[in-house]
Amino acid sequence: MDKDYRTDKENKISITVIRRLPKYYRYLGDLLDKGINRISSQELSKMTGFTASQIRQDLNNFGGFGQQGYGYNVEELHGELGKILGLDSVYNAVIVGAGNLGQAIANYKGFEDAGFKVLSLFDKNPKLIGLRIRDIEIRDVDTMVDFIKENDVEIGIITSPRESAQELAETYIEAGVKGIWNFAPTDLDLPDDMIVENVRLNESLFILSYFLKEKYNR
Amino acid sequence: MDKDYRTDKENKISITVIRRLPKYYRYLGDLLDKGINRISSQELSKMTGFTASQIRQDLNNFGGFGQQGYGYNVEELHGELGKILGLDSVYNAVIVGAGNLGQAIANYKGFEDAGFKVLSLFDKNPKLIGLRIRDIEIRDVDTMVDFIKENDVEIGIITSPRESAQELAETYIEAGVKGIWNFAPTDLDLPDDMIVENVRLNESLFILSYFLKEKYNR
DNA sequence: TAGATTGTTAATCGATTAACAATC
DNA sequence: TAGATTGTTAATCGATTAACAATC
């Protein structure tokens, strides 16, 4: 029983750090496009608004990607962050709820570029079933479980109304998806080890409203 | 020069607190719908996942809404949070970028219920101009500034591609909007006192991807 | 009154920032 | 080598949790 014995997840990286990674990744992508191949934490600080110290701390959670006296190699760091974020592999996804929001996501080329491939939309509305968004077919939600199992779908996206979200999430789990991207304004009650990322458009708008009120109405 | 002299914004409430308010508000709304009129911080804790202590701390930033030995009155607290979040007044909004995402937002009844009224969509695509989403017309983006000035539009929503977002944000400011709700995956460079709330769909998806990779691929 | 639960202060914990030795 | 900038430890700051007196 050595005291050095590691716990389950080793020293787990905090969610606050993880949520900053996409922003680093984005700016590094911009630099790459501009043909800049070297960057210091100080310059990254100027771009992102995070402190240089924080940037170095964040990156060192994952490895020493930099070089003293030089900084970071843009291409290398961009690649490493991509790997950390899982953007080096392709994920199959489906969308349940083929209304405007579902269609918007299906239509957005940016997701496909990042390795997220939407294979199908599902809905229960007969008027929608059979239609195509780009080349993505809208199918009957009753066929969803089979489709997921047959096509190695790993990500289930929920763009349904609030009322059906919980049931659809359970259907996703039954079908074997690994993660759920939930746009319905509700908290899904799911097994603790299930990976869920919520997009809370309502809450975002309320925050905007809060600051408007704070600035103008008092 | 009394030392008690207050600074500009008094004791400013931290953004981490503010970002929890919509969740309280949502659960209180649910309770209201169920006809429950009394709630303790402990019960709210069970629902929201925040600690009871944190909930009491959060609420006391804005006032003593509770009563010792009793808890909180659901209707009263819901109303107070609504006021704090600015949901007691109606905001006029417009959307620039009338693609699927813009249309999805225009279509979403939930926003209107919360007091956000979308008066118009704008786009530069002649095929879209003149169409209607529900009863909301899509207009030529060239007419946007005039429209905003004539209709007391306070919120400008950006659902355009990344490339045009900065320019459109500046147009919004020129026209006099008070706040911007930005869905384009870029950081807008605007005056410090401008109110901007970003929705980062890309980043949200990357976070989901991170956890998938962490759980399954190593 | 006795029991319950807030409002609030104090203690703890975690995240950010500062500092600097290591090193390219 | 001298200068620059990282990686990392220590100090600070802020946010969360615990505790309990106040009070309904």
Side-chain angles (χ1 to χ4, degrees), chain A residues 9-10 12-13 15 18-23 25-27 30 47-48 62 82-89 91 99-101 103-105 107-108 110-111 114 116 133 154-157 162 177-181 183 185-187 193-218, chain B residues 9-10 12-13 15 18-23 25-27 30 47-48 62 82-89 91 99-101 103-105 107-108 110-111 114 116 133 154-157 162 177-181 183 185-187 193-218:
Chain A
K9 285 273 168 169
E10 308 188 355
K12 220 174 155 220
I13 291 151
I15 181 73
I18 294 159
R19 289 202 179 275
R20 281 191 291 267
L21 300 183
K23 192 165 180 179
Y25 183 77
R26 172 159 52 87
Y27 276 99
D30 292 348
M47 285 186 272
T48 60
F62 302 95
K83 272 190 255 172
I84 291 164
L85 290 168
L87 307 178
D88 54 337
S89 44
Y91 290 102
N100 285 92
L101 186 55
Q103 294 189 22
I105 292 168
N107 249 317
Y108 185 52
F111 296 140
F116 302 90
I133 310 303
E154 290 154 299
I155 296 178
I157 303 174
R162 186 193 214 280
V177 304
K178 292 177 175 168
I180 291 176
W181 200 25
F183 286 76
T186 187
D187 291 319
D193 66 334
M194 189 65 203
I195 296 169
V196 181
E197 172 74 11
N198 294 296
V199 177
R200 307 238 176 251
L201 298 184
N202 252 289
E203 296 186 7
S204 174
L205 185 56
F206 290 2
I207 301 298
L208 178 64
S209 169
Y210 171 87
F211 286 110
L212 285 175
K213 175 126 187 182
E214 200 212 26
K215 183 170 176 188
Y216 293 101
N217 299 6
R218 57 166 188 170
Chain B
K9 283 274 166 168
E10 306 186 356
K12 219 174 157 222
I13 292 152
I15 181 72
I18 293 158
R19 291 204 176 271
R20 281 191 292 266
L21 300 182
K23 191 164 181 179
Y25 183 78
R26 172 159 54 87
Y27 276 98
D30 292 348
M47 285 186 275
T48 60
F62 302 96
K83 271 190 254 172
I84 291 164
L85 291 169
L87 307 178
D88 54 336
S89 44
Y91 290 101
N100 285 90
L101 186 55
Q103 296 190 20
I105 291 168
N107 249 316
Y108 185 52
F111 296 139
F116 301 90
I133 309 303
E154 289 154 300
I155 296 178
I157 303 174
R162 185 194 215 277
V177 304
K178 292 176 175 168
I180 292 176
W181 199 24
F183 285 76
T186 187
D187 291 320
D193 67 334
M194 189 65 201
I195 297 170
V196 180
E197 171 75 11
N198 295 296
V199 177
R200 308 236 175 254
L201 298 183
N202 251 291
E203 295 187 6
S204 174
L205 185 56
F206 290 3
I207 301 298
L208 179 64
S209 169
Y210 172 87
F211 285 110
L212 284 175
K213 174 126 187 183
E214 200 211 25
K215 183 170 175 188
Y216 293 101
N217 299 7
R218 56 165 188 169

Side-chain angles (χ1 to χ4, degrees), chain B residues 98-211:
Chain B
N100 285 90
L101 186 55
Q103 296 190 20
I105 291 168
N107 249 316
Y108 185 52
K109 276 268 291 115
F111 296 139
E112 198 159 317
D113 295 344
F116 301 90
K117 193 158 169 41
V118 175
L119 301 187
S120 181
L121 292 121
F122 293 93
D123 209 289
K124 66 174 184 192
N125 181 348
K127 286 182 193 157
L128 292 174
I129 295 166
L131 295 183
R132 286 175 172 275
I133 309 303
R134 292 200 289 162
D135 56 342
I136 305 165
E137 189 176 338
I138 302 176
R139 294 182 171 81
D140 189 322
V141 70
D142 289 341
T143 69
M144 189 166 81
V145 171
D146 288 343
F147 185 95
I148 289 170
K149 288 181 177 167
E150 281 161 24
N151 292 277
D152 297 317
V153 172
E154 289 154 300
I155 296 178
I157 303 174
I158 298 178
T159 49
S160 74
R162 185 194 215 277
E163 295 71 31
S164 36
Q166 175 66 31
E167 188 193 333
L168 292 168
E170 287 167 15
T171 306
Y172 270 147
I173 292 179
E174 178 200 334
V177 304
K178 292 176 175 168
I180 292 176
W181 199 24
N182 175 43
F183 285 76
T186 187
D187 291 320
L188 301 172
D189 185 17
L190 302 174
D192 281 350
D193 67 334
M194 189 65 201
I195 297 170
V196 180
E197 171 75 11
N198 295 296
V199 177
R200 308 236 175 254
L201 298 183
N202 251 291
E203 295 187 6
S204 174
L205 185 56
F206 290 3
I207 301 298
L208 179 64
S209 169
Y210 172 87
F211 285 110

Side-chain angles (χ1 to χ4, degrees), chain A:
Chain A
M1 298 297 162
D2 200 302
K3 80 181 159 92
D4 190 40
Y5 192 83
R6 300 294 184 85
T7 47
D8 222 18
K9 285 273 168 169
E10 308 188 355
N11 26 359
K12 220 174 155 220
I13 291 151
S14 99
I15 181 73
T16 61
V17 173
I18 294 159
R19 289 202 179 275
R20 281 191 291 267
L21 300 183
K23 192 165 180 179
Y24 298 136
Y25 183 77
R26 172 159 52 87
Y27 276 99
L28 287 163
D30 292 348
L31 290 167
L32 213 50
D33 290 345
K34 283 185 204 148
I36 295 167
N37 52 33
R38 173 186 162 176
I39 194 82
S40 69
S41 57
Q42 196 174 131
E43 291 165 302
L44 268 175
S45 168
K46 237 177 288 167
M47 285 186 272
T48 60
F50 306 133
T51 64
S53 195
Q54 180 165 67
I55 292 167
R56 294 202 302 277
Q57 289 271 27
D58 283 353
L59 297 177
N60 272 87
N61 281 300
F62 302 95
F65 302 130
Q67 201 171 46
Q68 283 100 329
Y70 175 86
Y72 300 87
N73 177 287
V74 172
E75 190 174 358
E76 186 201 327
L77 186 55
H78 183 260
E80 292 289 347
L81 286 174
K83 272 190 255 172
I84 291 164
L85 290 168
L87 307 178
D88 54 337
S89 44
V90 173
Y91 290 102
N92 290 332
V94 296
I95 298 172
V96 66
N100 285 92
L101 186 55
Q103 294 189 22
I105 292 168
N107 249 317
Y108 185 52
K109 275 264 295 114
F111 296 140
E112 197 159 316
D113 294 344
F116 302 90
K117 192 158 169 40
V118 175
L119 300 186
S120 182
L121 292 122
F122 293 94
D123 208 290
K124 66 175 184 193
N125 182 347
K127 284 181 194 158
L128 292 174
I129 295 167
L131 295 183
R132 286 174 172 276
I133 310 303
R134 290 200 289 160
D135 56 342
I136 305 166
E137 189 176 338
I138 302 176
R139 295 182 170 82
D140 190 323
V141 70
D142 289 341
T143 68
M144 190 167 79
V145 171
D146 288 343
F147 186 95
I148 289 171
K149 287 181 179 169
E150 282 161 24
N151 293 277
D152 296 317
V153 173
E154 290 154 299
I155 296 178
I157 303 174
I158 298 178
T159 50
S160 74
R162 186 193 214 280
E163 294 72 30
S164 36
Q166 176 66 32
E167 188 194 332
L168 291 169
E170 289 167 13
T171 305
Y172 270 148
I173 291 179
E174 178 200 334
V177 304
K178 292 177 175 168
I180 291 176
W181 200 25
N182 175 43
F183 286 76
T186 187
D187 291 319
L188 302 173
D189 185 17
L190 302 175
D192 281 351
D193 66 334
M194 189 65 203
I195 296 169
V196 181
E197 172 74 11
N198 294 296
V199 177
R200 307 238 176 251
L201 298 184
N202 252 289
E203 296 186 7
S204 174
L205 185 56
F206 290 2
I207 301 298
L208 178 64
S209 169
Y210 171 87
F211 286 110
L212 285 175
K213 175 126 187 182
E214 200 212 26
K215 183 170 176 188
Y216 293 101
N217 299 6
R218 57 166 188 170

